[in-house]
Amino acid sequence: MTHDVIVIGSGAAGLTAALALAERVRVLVLAKGDLAGGSTAWAQGGIAAVLDAGDTFENHIRDTMVAGAGLNRLETVEFVIERAPHAIQRLVALGVPFNSEGENLHLTREGGHSHRRIVHVNDATGWAVEEALLNAARAHPNITLLPGRACIDLITGRHEERYSGSGRVWGVYALDEASGKVEAHTARATVLATGGAGRVYQFSTAPRGATGDGIAMAWRAGARVSNMEMMQFHPTCLYNLDVKNFLITEAVRGEGGHLLNPRTGHRYMLDYDERAELAPRDIVARANDSEIKRDGLDYVHLDISHMDPDFVKGHFPNIHEKLLGLGIDMTRQPIPVVPAQHYTCGGVLIDLAGRTDLPGLYAAGECTESGLHGANRLASNSLLECFVFGEAAAADILARWDSFDAPPPVRPWDESRVTDSDEEVIIKQNWTEIRRFMWNYVGIVRTTKRLERAAHRITMLTAEVEDYYGHFRVSTDLIELRNLLQCADLIVRSALRRHESRGLHYTLDYPALLPEAVDTVLVP
Ligand code: FAD
Ligand code: SIN
């Protein structure tokens, strides 16, 4: 099937791009599973933008660069932050019901921000944003939404009927998850908006589908990826044996919550950083990890019970209700929390127009490395990045539209040499193994020895998974396993290359910061 533009992913980045493109061209949006299945719908805290009279772009830029430990590209940071107020206006126009205080939007605070700067919809901002974007996309006659399509690999010159071997991207092969058939979707331009790779770790706040598919697809097609060692761990994921990945928003600390050692009751963050609970995320996550490991704890405590109960319930109605259902009343008792993987700072290298290395391929959102986050993302800067780059990619495609050729005929997906799997246990076993060793060897605190151990396991598993992939029909689980493994490889290779501790990459073998901040760029 041929379309004008294909957007892969229906989160904040994909839907923003689709809505902007649909003003002039026809857009097909493909999504694995449900349309609202990405991280966007799970976002809690909000979106960072300079909207307060006492705040400035310079402040937001500085906070972003400080959190990013200087690895950010200043040009990108300025580009995004200066467009933030406009992005919020567009969301308001789409009907996102941000909390307000009189005439103004209410601004909450999160770690690393020197001002109140986060617009939000209670403690469930992402859901409100996803709903507004989806409503607008559903109503647009130029947008076709196709959920239940797991994209496998990009279509390039290698797949043309008259083989050209060029890196030009013409669309994607996608598995129809209901019928099990693989379809070739072609277009003049393709936008990757597939989100992060958080599920490469055993503990993650991200939804199940965050398996780095877009990063792996772009890499296999020949695009460079950058800074994959910069995996962000959120300091406060709920510790609960049944509910594994429920986030407790950073805004709980922003509105006065304290971190306490459950054994001593000591408020320990001041021992680690003068900004205490509002230090950037890498510092707070390492402090929590260190308390837990030093004292052999299962968790630390996040306590906001000293605040007025109505204030707590008013600010965090969803978290309050969820915790009550688990027997925890956050207005009266502390919440047990642990660090968990949260955000993929690295990804497919893009420029300010969302262009990747490959002609015809654009990318936006968490699957990219745009230069905004550097070595550690500042809280609530990621939804913002999705809106700004979704729009930028669409604008560049429309501006160059006349120079994009129509896609040539391409070869259909070849299933002639595969059969149905009789050993699906391999998928489950390998998936569990990858996530365990990534957590234990490539986590918050790293060493070269542990990274080498992980690299060794990746080599062995890659041979096994590629053999399996070559013999059996694809399923979503198999596609995800292959991509998880690819991303694990990119993360470990990048981590082994960085001989310093900067931002999220902290290694006992190279504890010092090098004088110059240099991106880790991997070339396929
Ligand atoms: P996503 O929203 O993750 O969407 C990815 C899309 O790609 C999905 O539609 C998925 O189905 C599709 N997809 C993936 N693989 C394939 C494939 N192979 N084939 C077809 N489709 C595919 N950021 C903030 O700025 N503020 C916050 O308050 C905040 N809170 C967060 C809370 C949680 C619990 C989490 C996990 C993240 C939070 N973040 C927050 C981060 C932010 O939510 C994400 O970075 C952002 O939503 C990513 O948007 P995206 O459009 O890039 O990807
Ligand atoms: C949170 O609400 O703590 C998450 C914010 C973010 O990831 O930006």
Side-chain angles (χ1 to χ4, degrees):
M1 278 169 278
T2 293
H3 315 268
D4 286 345
V5 180
I6 294 172
V7 174
I8 309 176
S10 54
L15 292 177
T16 302
L19 286 165
L21 284 160
E23 295 301 310
R24 280 191 32 212
V25 297
R26 285 175 308 113
V27 187
L28 173 72
V29 179
L30 298 168
K32 188 167 69 170
D34 297 337
L35 289 170
S39 293
T40 298
W42 290 26
Q44 292 185 353
I47 306 161
V50 172
L51 296 169
D52 188 34
D55 198 5
T56 61
F57 287 146
E58 287 71 32
N59 289 334
H60 191 179
I61 291 166
R62 192 179 50 247
D63 293 345
T64 301
M65 302 285 292
V66 168
L71 192 65
N72 329 58
R73 288 194 279 290
L74 179 60
E75 191 191 15
T76 311
V77 178
E78 290 171 347
F79 180 79
V80 174
I81 283 168
E82 287 166 10
R83 283 160 180 75
H86 176 64
I88 302 298
Q89 272 170 22
R90 277 202 319 268
L91 293 170
V92 170
L94 283 177
V96 178
F98 290 118
N99 291 42
S100 54
E101 249 177 350
E103 299 273 282
N104 301 320
L105 296 181
H106 177 263
L107 302 173
T108 189
R109 189 163 182 182
E110 290 180 346
H113 287 276
S114 56
H115 282 73
R116 284 189 170 266
R117 186 181 285 148
I118 319 293
V119 299
H120 62 108
V121 183
N122 296 323
D123 53 355
T125 310
W127 182 252
V129 166
E130 180 76 26
E131 196 175 37
L133 290 170
L134 268 179
N135 285 343
R138 283 193 181 107
H140 207 298
N142 276 350
I143 296 181
T144 305
L145 297 166
L146 264 192
R149 299 302 191 282
C151 294
I152 307 168
D153 265 318
L154 293 167
I155 297 174
T156 66
R158 282 182 288 167
H159 305 98
E160 290 169 19
E161 258 178 23
R162 294 168 63 118
Y163 179 89
S164 78
S166 83
R168 173 68 161 93
V169 172
W170 294 117
V172 71
Y173 290 111
L175 170 73
D176 177 338
E177 293 175 311
S179 71
K181 295 254 176 314
V182 177
E183 305 151 338
H185 296 275
T186 55
R188 289 172 191 239
T190 303
V191 183
L192 270 184
T194 44
R199 284 300 182 120
V200 79
Y201 285 96
Q202 187 178 5
F203 302 106
S204 169
T205 63
R208 194 191 171 286
T211 49
D213 297 359
I215 299 170
M217 283 193 279
W219 171 259
R220 285 194 293 266
R224 285 172 304 163
V225 302
S226 176
N227 295 344
M228 285 298 288
E229 73 277 30
M230 299 304 177
M231 273 288 175
Q232 184 170 73
F233 294 81
H234 198 290
T236 60
C237 178
L238 176 70
Y239 172 83
N240 183 283
L241 295 181
D242 299 320
V243 180
K244 293 269 188 277
N245 61 351
F246 185 67
L247 180 75
I248 309 295
T249 176
E250 191 145 330
V252 171
R253 280 175 284 132
E255 296 297 343
H258 295 158
L259 284 164
L260 309 176
N261 183 307
R263 189 166 292 166
T264 59
H266 176 55
R267 186 182 164 201
Y268 54 80
M269 264 320 296
L270 273 168
D271 304 342
Y272 293 87
D273 193 285
E274 61 187 12
R275 291 160 291 185
E277 282 85 359
L278 291 181
R281 227 169 244 183
D282 55 332
I283 295 170
V284 185
R286 268 200 299 279
N288 290 0
D289 184 62
S290 154
E291 293 286 310
I292 288 171
K293 291 206 170 118
R294 191 195 58 214
D295 289 358
L297 307 170
D298 287 330
Y299 51 79
V300 290
H301 273 152
L302 173 61
D303 189 17
I304 194 165
S305 64
H306 51 279
M307 305 288 281
D308 173 32
D310 288 334
F311 171 86
V312 173
K313 282 188 260 179
H315 270 72
F316 308 108
N318 297 292
I319 295 176
H320 177 253
E321 198 181 310
K322 173 87 180 178
L323 292 179
L324 270 188
L326 297 169
I328 302 166
D329 181 352
M330 70 189 284
T331 66
R332 294 154 56 99
Q333 63 192 119
I335 309 164
V337 292
V338 285
Q341 190 288 339
H342 181 64
Y343 184 81
T344 309
C345 292
V348 184
L349 203 53
I350 55 166
D351 66 12
L352 289 185
R355 283 186 298 235
T356 70
D357 290 335
L358 304 178
L361 183 68
Y362 289 73
E366 192 171 337
C367 65
T368 67
E369 200 281 291
S370 68
L372 176 64
H373 308 306
N376 177 33
R377 175 178 67 97
L378 183 66
S380 288
N381 264 358
S382 51
L383 283 171
L384 175 59
E385 182 188 41
C386 292
F387 305 127
V388 172
F389 277 98
E391 182 95 3
D396 196 75
I397 292 169
L398 294 179
R400 292 164 189 267
W401 189 247
D402 292 338
S403 69
F404 287 130
D405 292 332
V410 299
R411 281 183 280 123
W413 184 251
D414 181 4
E415 283 198 320
S416 58
R417 279 167 295 179
V418 292
T419 58
D420 286 326
S421 166
D422 56 1
E423 268 203 304
E424 295 214 359
V425 63
I426 289 182
I427 298 183
K428 192 162 181 228
Q429 162 63 28
N430 286 346
W431 179 294
T432 311
E433 201 173 327
I434 295 168
R435 298 183 66 209
R436 280 235 170 98
F437 72 68
M438 287 300 287
W439 182 258
N440 288 325
Y441 295 162
V442 197
I444 297 174
V445 177
R446 300 166 179 174
T447 66
T448 303
K449 201 164 214 144
R450 286 185 209 154
L451 293 175
E452 283 168 353
R453 286 207 172 105
H456 179 62
R457 277 167 177 73
I458 289 168
T459 306
M460 287 190 322
L461 290 182
T462 301
E464 199 168 294
V465 170
E466 284 306 317
D467 181 62
Y468 188 93
Y469 185 78
H471 285 90
F472 298 115
R473 276 201 181 87
V474 286
S475 63
T476 302
D477 284 349
L478 177 55
I479 294 166
E480 291 181 335
L481 172 66
R482 184 173 176 237
N483 293 330
L484 271 183
L485 194 54
Q486 182 71 76
C487 287
D489 180 47
L490 296 170
I491 295 164
V492 172
R493 278 162 61 182
S494 304
L496 279 167
R497 281 213 193 169
R498 188 170 289 282
H499 292 176
E500 63 169 345
S501 289
R502 182 182 295 275
L504 297 159
H505 178 69
Y506 184 78
T507 163
L508 298 177
D509 290 303
Y510 301 99
L513 187 69
L514 292 178
E516 200 188 346
V518 182
D519 292 319
T520 311
V521 180
L522 298 182
V523 183

